Amino acid sequence: MKPAPPQAATTAAAVPTLSQKLRGHIYASISFLLLLSLGYTLGLLSASPNSPPPAPLPSPARVKTSEAAAGSEVRQLALPPLDLLRFRTQCADPIPQSEVLKTILDRVHDGKSPFDGFPTPETAALLLPPKARPRGWGSTMPVFRDLIESVRPLTIIELGTFLGASALHMAAVAANLSLPAVILCVDDFRGWPGARVRFARDLPRPRHGDSLLLHQFMAGVAAAGAEAEGRIVPVPFSTASALAALCEWGVYGDLIEVDAGHDFHSAWADINGAWAVLRPGGVLFGHDYYTAADDHGVRRAVTLFARVNGVQVRPHGQHWVLSPKPNPPSNNR
């Protein structure tokens, strides 16, 4: 049996009439208008008399223009102009080259040779026996003799020394040419993580967090004799801080070798810093132009520097050589 349909009176009471619906809409509209008026009045009362009028909403055309400008700005930031990569180019007036060695000894080694009394018995017990030819990379290639013969430098600056293979070779070449050249070896002498694992036969065991690389390098120089000790001077700081100090002291190089960090940013910074302390007519060169380190950015940094500064780069075996630094433009017209 189907259920009985509901009574008509019940249905009429449950469904609102049209007049009831209209009254509900009117009450809701009035409440909304009252709330809107109240909010507007409170806003006028709380606003400062000097407050600027609200900015109009941008038109669709303005929105598109702003988005295009923002996109252009992002593209510019992705490729920053070279003038954002600024390096110091003006240094102190150059001191006489006869004062270079004394200046370095006074400011870095308390006025005396770091080889005086080296090594102490305690230090000698920690070091490996120095080798006649310490570990190096391309350290005896013809580029060294060719440049020393042509430039005839009195001050040589080496960025990146490790155990001193190339410094000892340059000292021997200068001695054979009767050049009283001083070689400033700039290196923090800390090596790099994993260096001792790779070169366990060349590096002593670290002691209290000290890699002892500086002392092992000095042992190799001392073993080469008094001639090498009188020419080679360690400058045990990072390349950036050492170059900044040389710039302030007026210490310039006639020949500067760059062979420290092999990534693009390190090479780029070292080349720019070294160029600032290179004498006019001097030559800047370095290693890893045609080696596996190409992948890290050495060659890219060299090529970029040559293009930005209007100099020529010449490959020389594994090394790169820049054309001599030009004389500064004369102020006389």
Side-chain angles (χ1 to χ4, degrees), residues 269-310:
D270 288 345
I271 293 169
N272 279 274
W275 189 257
V277 295
L278 182 67
R279 289 183 184 273
V283 172
L284 188 67
F285 76 109
H287 193 222
D288 298 299
Y289 198 69
Y290 285 125
T291 67
D294 290 355
D295 297 336
H296 302 301
V298 173
R299 185 163 59 189
R300 184 159 57 96
V302 174
T303 304
L304 177 61
F305 180 86
R307 186 170 74 243
V308 170
N309 291 275

Side-chain angles (χ1 to χ4, degrees), residues 116-160:
D116 289 351
F118 176 86
T120 63
E122 294 81 5
T123 300
L126 302 174
L127 303 180
L128 299 177
K131 296 181 179 179
R133 295 187 61 179
R135 163 79 67 171
W137 294 268
S139 302
T140 59
M141 287 187 169
V143 64
F144 295 98
R145 176 173 291 278
D146 292 348
L147 291 178
I148 292 175
E149 287 180 346
S150 61
V151 178
R152 301 192 67 82
L154 297 180
T155 301
I156 300 174
I157 301 174
E158 179 182 61
L159 304 182

Side-chain angles (χ1 to χ4, degrees), residues 39-256:
Y40 183 78
T41 303
L42 291 175
L44 289 177
L45 293 176
S46 61
S48 170
N50 297 324
S51 299
L57 293 175
S59 64
R62 288 185 178 180
V63 171
K64 291 182 180 179
T65 303
S66 301
E67 291 176 351
S72 175
E73 183 176 355
V74 169
R75 286 193 295 271
Q76 291 177 0
L77 290 176
L79 296 173
L82 292 175
D83 60 0
L84 294 181
L85 306 175
R86 293 182 178 178
F87 292 86
R88 189 170 183 174
T89 57
Q90 297 295 323
C91 297
D93 292 337
I95 62 174
Q97 288 193 310
S98 59
E99 295 293 319
V100 168
L101 179 58
K102 182 179 184 304
T103 299
I104 297 301
L105 294 181
D106 287 345
R107 292 182 176 269
V108 179
H109 298 291
D110 293 331
K112 59 183 180 181
S113 171
F115 295 98
D116 289 351
F118 176 86
T120 63
E122 294 81 5
T123 300
L126 302 174
L127 303 180
L128 299 177
K131 296 181 179 179
R133 295 187 61 179
R135 163 79 67 171
W137 294 268
S139 302
T140 59
M141 287 187 169
V143 64
F144 295 98
R145 176 173 291 278
D146 292 348
L147 291 178
I148 292 175
E149 287 180 346
S150 61
V151 178
R152 301 192 67 82
L154 297 180
T155 301
I156 300 174
I157 301 174
E158 179 182 61
L159 304 182
T161 295
F162 196 50
L163 290 169
S166 57
L168 288 168
H169 178 64
M170 288 190 287
V173 172
N176 290 335
L177 296 174
S178 300
L179 284 173
V182 174
I183 304 172
L184 307 181
C185 294
V186 177
D187 197 308
D188 62 6
F189 292 102
R190 303 295 303 169
W192 61 92
R196 191 183 170 279
V197 175
R198 182 178 178 186
F199 305 112
R201 298 180 179 180
D202 303 285
L203 300 177
R205 296 187 63 83
R207 179 81 168 181
H208 302 303
D210 186 357
S211 65
L212 298 177
L213 178 56
L214 172 61
H215 291 155
Q216 191 66 48
F217 154 76
M218 292 177 62
V221 175
E227 178 75 25
E229 287 186 15
R231 292 178 179 273
I232 298 175
V233 184
V235 183
F237 303 101
S238 68
T239 54
S241 59
L243 288 170
L246 298 179
C247 184
E248 293 176 3
W249 301 339
V251 175
Y252 291 74
D254 305 302
L255 183 65
I256 302 181

